[in-house]
Amino acid sequence: MACLGVRETRDRLRQGRSTVADHVGSVLEDIGKRDGELGAYVSVAGDEALRAAAAADARIRALGPAAWRDRPLLGVTLSVKDLIQTADLPT
């Protein structure tokens, strides 16, 4: 699921065909397999991503479709370019 686009990822999550934790795990696994060769990431906040995924899954279980009402990209992963300053991560 790591290579899916934003819309397809969002739809799979909303349809219950995947959990956020599974999606994040897939993305982290893909990064682990490829980044040694590519060197695309300065840092990866894997533990933080997994904690956020668990919280997103809990929100989805609690609220159902309403979970996305004010968070339309809930569960969709993104990478932040290292030129953008972030708190607690090297840039």
Side-chain angles (χ1 to χ4, degrees), residues 47-88:
D47 291 340
E48 185 177 332
L50 291 170
R51 282 191 297 276
D57 282 332
R59 178 181 171 89
I60 292 165
R61 281 191 303 277
L63 299 177
W68 285 277
R69 186 170 296 129
D70 62 342
R71 300 175 189 190
L73 296 178
L74 180 67
V76 176
T77 56
L78 66 99
S79 297
V80 177
K81 179 68 178 138
D82 60 350
L83 296 174
I84 297 172
Q85 291 184 343
T86 56
D88 301 325

Side-chain angles (χ1 to χ4, degrees), residues 13-33:
L13 294 170
R14 285 184 177 185
Q15 295 163 2
R17 297 186 332 191
S18 179
T19 65
V20 179
D22 287 343
H23 171 58
V24 169
S26 174
V27 170
L28 291 172
E29 182 179 327
D30 196 46
I31 290 169
K33 286 180 183 175

